[in-house]
Amino acid sequence: MTPVFETVLAKYGWILIGITFGFAAKYAMLLKRGVQVKARLVFADLLLLPLVALIAYWMATRAGVEAEAAALFSAFSTVGADRLVKLLTDRFLQRVDAEAAAVAESIVGAARNTTQAELAAAAIKEAAREGRLHPEYAALKPHPQAPKLDG
């Protein structure tokens, strides 16, 4: 064996063993319940396996377990892959929705501030045009030689 293959097997071997046993256990449970196993179901589960392997590795690493315990984590992850992926997907989408709502709220707030500033500027210009400018805005009064503002 090559050194790279040995390294990969040493690091991820228990995860692969757990996924293999979990995959077999999942289909054994389906057969036991009388579910007819079709190629589509097997193919869909094979497509899920890389994600399940990542989840199992993450869980085992977070729990600080190695060897047989990591294999158990991955086997349980594989058996409950549908539920596990749905749970993590739902949590991810909730987080995305919350952040999208926060971004949208900040954009709406910025738009409201801009609109309010424009309305205030228009009111000040109108007051200057009509000569009822508040003394606080005396610096905004037009120069005596400046042309008059129209409409």
Side-chain angles (χ1 to χ4, degrees):
M1 270 194 268
T2 65
V4 173
F5 184 71
E6 287 179 10
T7 305
V8 169
L9 192 59
K11 187 167 185 174
Y12 304 112
W14 286 105
I15 298 291
L16 295 173
I17 289 170
I19 286 177
T20 305
F21 288 169
F23 194 70
K26 179 178 182 176
Y27 283 98
M29 290 181 349
L30 288 175
L31 290 172
K32 187 177 178 182
R33 279 192 263 154
V35 175
Q36 186 178 4
V37 177
K38 295 183 180 181
R40 284 176 56 172
L41 182 61
V42 175
F43 182 67
D45 280 342
L46 286 174
L47 290 176
L48 274 178
L49 279 183
L51 180 60
V52 172
L54 286 173
I55 293 169
Y57 181 73
W58 174 75
M59 287 174 26
T61 305
R62 294 286 289 240
V65 296
E66 294 179 10
E68 293 88 355
L72 275 174
F73 269 101
S74 58
F76 288 140
S77 298
T78 306
V79 169
D82 302 334
R83 291 178 188 94
L84 185 63
V85 169
K86 183 172 178 9
L87 173 74
L88 291 175
T89 303
D90 288 346
R91 284 189 180 173
F92 174 76
L93 290 177
Q94 286 173 351
R95 198 169 182 185
V96 167
D97 286 344
E99 292 200 20
V103 167
E105 190 175 313
S106 80
I107 290 172
V108 168
R112 284 184 182 144
N113 286 342
T114 302
T115 302
Q116 189 59 41
E118 289 175 358
L119 289 174
I124 290 171
K125 282 174 58 177
E126 183 65 30
R129 191 175 312 142
E130 294 175 359
R132 55 179 177 80
L133 194 62
H134 192 274
E136 181 178 316
Y137 300 112
L140 295 177
K141 289 185 178 179
H143 191 273
Q145 297 174 351
K148 296 286 184 192
L149 297 174
D150 292 331

